[in-house]
């Protein structure tokens, strides 16, 4: 496995903060992350390797079509297209675009929001989202049921239900 595969396989959610220019490997690293948040100063995002006689070598040909669909990925990779922040958002390459001056703060807020979720449930969700592309639907739903049942007896589920009934935010511990 290369570094991008290792990032994609991390059990916890990952967020990529994009600003300035993210071409080639920079975009491939972003594609390995679960969330991509761009500053409005993101000038270029793309996989321009074909313009050098190359192809994306860090997972771009595999992760990009899964993210934005074959049509957009084909055009982007075969033509070496580059997009600014707004175009990247319109094509589904990034989850949101925020003012550059607020980018780090927004990323930290999103990370805190994810950190407040039940860690075990997040790990299971990430496993299932990957399985959606790797296994047939019936196998994926069987795994989903298994992981759902795994969560039923956890402290976090009890805490979530109790917090809901008490009209407060849950405090998850991962157990």
């Amino acid at each position: 496995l290369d570094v991008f595969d290792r990032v994609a396989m991390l059990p916890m959610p990952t967020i990529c903060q994009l600003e300035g220019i993210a071409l080639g490997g920079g975009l491939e690293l972003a594609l390995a992350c679960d969330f991509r948040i761009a500053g409005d100063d993101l000038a270029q995002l793309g996989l321009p390797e074909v313009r050098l006689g190359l192809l994306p070598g860090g997972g771009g040909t595999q992760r990009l079509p899964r993210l934005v669909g074959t049509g957009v990925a084909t055009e982007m990779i075969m033509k070496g297209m580059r997009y600014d922040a707004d175009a990247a958002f319109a094509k589904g390459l990034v989850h949101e675009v925020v003012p550059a001056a607020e980018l780090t703060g927004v990323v930290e807020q999103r990370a805190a929001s994810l950190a407040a979720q039940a860690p075990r449930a997040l790990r299971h969700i990430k496993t299932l989202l990957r399985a959606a592309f790797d296994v047939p639907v019936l196998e994926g739903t069987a795994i989903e049921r298994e992981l759902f049942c795994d969560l039923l007896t956890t402290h976090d589920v009890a805490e979530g239900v109790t917090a809901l009934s008490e009209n407060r935010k849950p405090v998850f511990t991962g157990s």
Side-chain angles (χ1 to χ4, degrees):
L1 296 177
D2 74 6
V3 69
F4 301 134
D5 294 332
R6 290 180 190 277
V7 168
M9 298 302 291
L10 287 170
M12 72 286 293
T14 54
I15 303 173
C16 184
Q17 177 174 319
L18 294 159
E19 51 195 317
I21 296 174
L23 298 173
L27 175 54
E28 287 177 304
L29 176 58
L31 293 172
C33 294
D34 300 307
F35 297 93
R36 286 160 301 286
I37 302 173
D40 59 6
D41 66 341
L42 179 66
Q44 295 184 51
L45 183 77
L47 297 171
E49 288 87 344
V50 71
R51 294 177 182 202
L52 301 173
L54 294 168
L55 58 84
T61 64
Q62 300 304 299
R63 291 188 180 97
L64 186 62
R66 287 172 166 88
L67 178 65
V68 298
T70 304
V72 171
T74 299
E75 178 179 46
M76 192 171 168
I77 295 170
M78 287 189 174
K79 292 182 175 180
M81 302 294 292
R82 299 174 188 198
Y83 302 109
D84 65 11
D86 291 331
F89 177 76
K91 294 198 177 288
L93 291 162
V94 298
H95 291 88
E96 60 185 307
V97 176
V98 301
E102 300 171 20
L103 180 59
T104 298
V106 169
V107 169
E108 289 172 353
Q109 288 172 352
R110 302 302 180 264
S113 175
L114 286 165
Q117 304 303 324
R120 192 166 173 176
L122 285 175
R123 285 192 304 273
H124 285 351
I125 290 166
K126 193 163 175 175
T127 295
L128 290 164
L129 291 172
R130 281 194 304 262
F133 292 99
D134 297 335
V135 301
V137 172
L138 291 179
E139 185 179 338
T141 56
I143 298 168
E144 181 181 74
R145 285 188 297 276
E146 177 185 329
L147 295 179
F148 179 85
C149 289
D150 177 67
L151 294 173
L152 286 176
T153 59
T154 64
H155 170 34
D156 281 352
V157 167
E159 167 62 12
V161 171
T162 301
L164 178 65
S165 69
E166 295 174 355
N167 198 29
R168 64 174 173 81
K169 290 184 178 184
V171 178
F172 296 118
T173 63
S175 59

